[in-house]
Amino acid sequence: MEIVGRTHHMLVSLWGKRWNEVNLVMSNLYTAYLDDSGTAPKQKVAIATGLIIPSGKIVALEDEWDELKEKWRFSCFHMAEFNAKNGKKEPQFANWNAYQRKRVYQRIRTITKKYGIKTVSFAVNKDDYDEIVPPEMRKWAGTFHYTWAVRQFITWVDRWR
């Protein structure tokens, strides 16, 4: 394993250095950051999106991300709140003007494209899943909707690599 290995992988999160609160799939070549959407019971669709990053680029990505957070004075980035101009978790998003929002989003996109080599999403309509997948099959397909999406992502990564 490279020096830029397990320790640095565990420290990196686009939400800060809370490595124990995020899902990272690690190897000595790549890291996959997984993000969830739709896991709340009222959401109709569950989505797992993964960004695959070369392991050797993790520290550089983290440095650029930290610079962005410092420059625009946010500690955590939540796309749903950012889009909704909601200030529950990050109050400053509610007060940003169109210029601030555009610049931050452009920078996030640039960083993602610079370091990510693949981005993959798997989505499942919860009602369809509940109707089609019987309880006895869920131990293989995924007990929960998001579990199914994560398993699809892991299978995709395994085939891709």
Side-chain angles (χ1 to χ4, degrees):
M1 185 171 200
E2 300 174 23
I3 294 293
V4 180
R6 187 176 182 150
T7 303
H8 286 121
H9 286 85
M10 289 182 176
L11 295 176
V12 172
S13 162
L14 297 182
W15 292 350
K17 292 181 171 64
R18 302 181 316 196
W19 61 267
N20 58 339
E21 296 178 27
V22 299
N23 299 307
L24 292 174
V25 178
M26 298 178 284
S27 78
N28 62 348
L29 298 176
Y30 302 105
T31 296
Y33 170 81
L34 290 173
D35 191 35
D36 73 299
S37 182
T39 52
K42 292 183 180 181
Q43 298 292 322
K44 294 181 183 268
V45 177
I47 303 170
T49 298
L51 176 65
I52 300 173
I53 308 157
S55 298
K57 302 286 186 178
I58 288 292
V59 175
L61 181 150
E62 183 178 26
D63 289 344
E64 284 195 46
W65 185 256
D66 287 345
E67 288 174 19
L68 176 69
K69 291 189 314 184
E70 186 176 324
K71 179 178 180 177
W72 292 97
R73 295 186 180 107
F74 65 92
S75 60
C76 200
F77 187 83
H78 295 275
M79 190 59 159
E81 285 197 26
F82 180 78
N83 281 338
K85 300 177 186 172
N86 186 343
K88 289 180 184 173
K89 292 181 183 174
E90 286 298 312
Q92 75 278 2
F93 292 160
N95 299 319
W96 281 2
N97 62 38
Y99 172 79
Q100 291 170 304
R101 297 170 59 70
K102 181 178 179 181
R103 295 292 295 164
V104 168
Y105 186 73
Q106 284 176 333
R107 188 67 184 120
I108 289 170
R109 188 169 183 259
T110 299
I111 292 170
T112 302
K113 289 177 78 174
K114 181 177 181 179
Y115 295 103
I117 57 171
K118 292 280 186 185
T119 304
V120 182
S121 291
F122 288 92
V124 59
N125 181 305
K126 292 178 180 180
D127 289 341
D128 290 346
Y129 190 84
D130 291 341
E131 181 182 332
I132 295 169
V133 182
E136 59 273 8
M137 288 193 64
R138 290 184 179 216
K139 65 181 173 184
W140 294 285
T143 303
F144 304 103
H145 312 100
Y146 182 66
T147 308
W148 176 88
V150 170
R151 285 183 176 186
Q152 297 309 304
F153 175 81
I154 292 169
T155 299
W156 184 91
V157 168
D158 184 54
R159 291 180 182 155
W160 169 79
R161 68 166 178 86

